[in-house]
């Protein structure tokens, strides 16, 4: 038999073998991570390394394209690339014995060496990736050996080996299916079956010593399709660098306040809950939010004022920044004055009457009204270092974003939705506007080239929250351009000139185009 002629015809099957081996290896790694080191799944380690190594423009593009689905997009991309490279390793194993298997093992070893360097790595962080590499290597070797038996043996030889093409495909499909199942089980195990999640669900937070003022009458406008005044927890936007949501046991949580202070302070979970807690509504916004975007939300937060903790530490007179650090290594540089000037900057433990969701920082996060999240809203926070802007750099400022990130005055049209047909006659234009820390005094709307019209403004919860607005409109048939602008409580008008989010937040007036039918 001409074996060299058989090899090309077995090439696609060898590629299938490589991909199946990768799937089974990945499943073993994800399952091992769920059992031994939840933060160190191979995909999370690779993804985290890519996030840290990627240039700022790549991260900005991912958020602009995918928004809150940026992590899913990254993991999907990693999966596709992994399958393609694994197919090549399958081909290599067919052409030269042990080359492909060695490649799988080497890849697992590289990821295993990276895993312990991650900020939230556990003692066994190296094991899931090593397990994935070994399983993939053994599986690839076994499946390709089946192909070789078919290539090199006549009918009797193939029978002795107990292998034929159908059996190979069955083994490959079984390996792939087992890998997918193990991956799903591992992901579910990390997300919903952790001891930390059980603790969170059983937790009952103390009553606030200072409850939030009641929501004023007229704060909510009855307009179908208008963004809700309070954003439900499961709808609140999430932008961070954690591919796998960190799981922090409250009993083991500690906050360390150090640096340019007279007295270092360490705080435990029980000590935090024993302090007077303040309830406050505040709108948070991501600096990557485009004009008219949805990376903004409004919630009622429960926590202890950070200024009280800093007062215990007694910062140095020449300090001007607090570098907060998350359990996963993320850092944010917050102006010291924003944490001590009287605003409700909180070390938050609750969100909308519940303990913080895992994905939003449980057990403790920072909430600082008036600042974009990249300089203030550190989740899973474990450290506050009092320092100076000229001595320390934070995660995003080290990647070209501005050091200080005050939220800019913004307004958005929610109703009508762009691209949806609108009937003629009486209808309404409505949306939200915000500038936490300053507040909104008015919103104006322009239809086509007509005059600016003052919208009806709902009552604001406080100057730290967004406010709903509406404008009655008699819609006439045809295409119409609608845009809006807000006026802050300080009398300043929202910036008209369009600018991208980088380096300190987008500007411009939100504009939509709608078609009014008969």
């Amino acid at each position: 038999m001409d074996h060299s002629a058989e090899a090309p015809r077995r090439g696609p099957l060898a590629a299938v073998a490589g991909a199946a081996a990768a799937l089974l290896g990945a499943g073993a790694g994800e399952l091992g991570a769920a059992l031994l080191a939840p933060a160190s799944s191979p995909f999370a380690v690779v993804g985290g390394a890519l996030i840290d190594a990627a240039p700022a423009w790549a991260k900005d593009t991912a958020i602009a394209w995918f928004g809150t689905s940026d992590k899913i997009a990254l993991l999907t991309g990693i999966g596709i690339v992994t399958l393609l490279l694994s197919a090549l390793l399958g081909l290599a194993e067919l052409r030269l014995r042990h080359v492909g298997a060695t490649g799988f093992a080497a890849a697992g070893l590289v990821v295993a060496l990276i895993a312990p360097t991650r900020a939230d790595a556990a003692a066994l962080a190296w094991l899931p990736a090593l397990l994935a590499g070994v399983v993939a290597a053994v599986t690839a070797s076994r499946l390709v050996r089946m192909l070789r038996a078919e290539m090199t043996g006549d009918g009797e030889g193939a029978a002795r080996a107990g292998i034929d093409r159908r059996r190979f495909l069955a083994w490959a499909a079984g390996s792939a299916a087992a890998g997918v199942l193990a991956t799903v089980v591992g992901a579910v195990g990390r997300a919903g079956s952790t001891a930390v999640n059980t603790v969170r669900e059983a937790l009952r937070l103390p009553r606030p010593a200072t409850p939030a003022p009641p929501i004023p009458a007229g704060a909510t406008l009855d307009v179908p399709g208008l963004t809700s005044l309070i954003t439900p927890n499961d709808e609140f936007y999430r932008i961070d660098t954690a591919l796998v949501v960190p799981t922090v046991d409250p009993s083991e949580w500690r906050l360390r306040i150090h640096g340019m202070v007279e007295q270092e302070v360490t705080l435990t979970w029980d000590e935090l809950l024993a302090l007077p807690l303040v309830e406050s509504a505040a709108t948070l916004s991501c600096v990557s939010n485009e004009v008219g975007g949805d990376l903004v939300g409004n919630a009622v937060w429960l926590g202890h004022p950070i200024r009280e903790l800093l007062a215990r530490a007694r910062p140095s007179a020449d300090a001007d920044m607090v570098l907060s650090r998350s359990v996963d290594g993320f850092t944010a540089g917050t102006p010291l004055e924003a944490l001590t000037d009287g605003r409700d900057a909180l070390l938050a433990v609750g969100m909308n009457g519940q303990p913080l969701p895992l994905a939003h920082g449980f057990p403790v996060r920072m909430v600082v009204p008036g600042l974009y999240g990249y300089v203030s809203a550190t989740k899973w926070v474990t450290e506050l270092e009092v320092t100076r802007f000229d001595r320390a750099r934070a995660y995003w400022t080290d990647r070209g974003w501005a050091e200080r990130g005050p939220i800019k005055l913004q307004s958005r049209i929610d109703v009508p939705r762009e691209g949806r047909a609108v009937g003629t006659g009486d209808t309404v234009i409505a949306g939200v506007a915000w500038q936490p820390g300053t507040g909104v005094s008015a919103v104006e709307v322009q239809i086509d080239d007509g005059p600016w019209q003052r919208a009806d403004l709902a009552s604001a919860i406080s100057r730290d929250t967004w406010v709903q607005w509406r404008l009655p409109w008699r819609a006439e048939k045809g295409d119409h351009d609608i845009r809006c602008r807000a006026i802050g409580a300080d009398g300043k008008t929202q910036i008209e000139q369009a600018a991208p989010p980088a380096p300190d937040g987008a500007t411009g007036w939100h504009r939509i185009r709608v078609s009014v039918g008969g």
Side-chain angles (χ1 to χ4, degrees), residues 23 51 79 116 158 197-198 230 239 246-247 256 259 278 304 319 321 437 468 491:
L23 287 171
I51 289 174
N197 194 56
T198 302
I230 301 297
I239 296 292
T247 52
R256 179 185 175 216
V278 172
H304 185 68
M321 188 256 271
Q468 297 178 339

Side-chain angles (χ1 to χ4, degrees), residues 169-433:
L169 292 174
W171 273 91
S175 299
V180 171
L181 179 61
T183 299
V184 172
V185 171
V188 171
R190 286 197 312 272
S193 301
T194 64
V196 171
N197 194 56
T198 302
V199 169
R200 179 193 171 275
E201 291 178 349
L203 182 64
R204 295 295 178 268
L205 295 173
R207 291 178 177 272
T210 306
I215 295 177
T220 300
L221 300 178
D222 185 17
V223 178
L226 179 60
T227 297
S228 60
L229 183 64
I230 301 297
T231 308
N233 290 355
D234 59 355
E235 296 178 13
F236 207 95
Y237 79 94
R238 179 198 164 200
I239 296 292
D240 51 54
T241 61
L243 278 179
V244 174
V245 174
T247 52
V248 182
D249 187 338
S251 66
E252 299 177 357
W253 177 83
R254 299 288 186 277
L255 178 75
R256 179 185 175 216
I257 304 176
H258 65 106
M260 298 172 63
V261 297
E262 295 183 26
Q263 177 67 50
E264 186 169 314
V265 174
T266 301
L267 192 69
T268 68
W269 171 253
D270 289 337
E271 289 170 340
L272 175 58
L273 293 191
L275 295 172
L277 300 183
V278 172
E279 197 174 44
S280 176
T283 294
L284 302 187
S285 177
C286 179
V287 71
S288 297
N289 196 40
E290 300 278 358
V291 172
D294 60 0
L295 300 182
V296 57
N298 188 50
V300 178
W301 309 93
L302 175 68
H304 185 68
I306 297 175
R307 64 177 178 273
E308 302 293 341
L309 297 174
L310 290 174
R312 288 166 56 179
R314 301 191 299 279
S316 170
D318 59 344
D320 64 1
M321 188 256 271
V322 173
L323 187 71
S324 55
R325 181 169 282 105
S326 168
V327 70
D328 67 347
F330 174 82
T331 55
T334 308
L336 179 60
E337 62 182 355
L339 301 175
T340 58
D341 63 3
R343 74 184 75 187
D344 286 332
L346 301 178
L347 201 60
V349 297
M351 180 178 183
N352 290 334
Q354 301 176 8
L356 290 172
L358 295 182
H360 288 287
F362 180 82
V364 184
R365 67 169 294 165
M366 290 174 61
V367 172
V368 184
L371 298 180
Y372 288 116
Y374 82 104
V375 297
S376 68
T378 303
K379 303 170 187 172
W380 316 287
V381 63
T382 60
E383 187 176 331
L384 300 179
E385 179 186 357
V386 179
T387 181
R388 291 182 54 83
F389 280 106
D390 57 10
R391 296 183 186 178
R393 304 282 289 176
Y395 183 91
W396 283 110
T397 53
D398 202 33
R399 289 161 172 78
W401 291 79
E403 285 184 339
R404 304 166 187 264
I407 295 179
K408 296 178 178 178
L409 179 60
Q410 288 286 336
S411 57
R412 185 181 74 198
I413 301 169
D414 290 339
V415 179
R417 298 289 183 185
E418 187 165 23
R420 295 186 183 178
V422 177
T424 57
D426 292 334
T427 185
V428 66
I429 302 168
V432 289

Side-chain angles (χ1 to χ4, degrees), residues 75 144 168 256 373 475 505:
L75 290 172
V144 173
F168 164 81
R256 179 185 175 216

Side-chain angles (χ1 to χ4, degrees), residues 58-82:
K59 298 183 180 72
D60 301 340
T61 300
I63 294 174
W65 285 5
F66 303 108
T68 55
S69 300
D70 59 334
K71 297 171 184 62
I72 295 176
L74 176 59
L75 290 172
T76 300
I78 292 173
I80 292 172
V81 172
T82 298

Side-chain angles (χ1 to χ4, degrees), residues 86 96 119 167 176 180 243 456 471 503:
S86 299
L96 191 60
R167 185 171 296 179
V180 171
L243 278 179
D456 299 324
L471 178 75

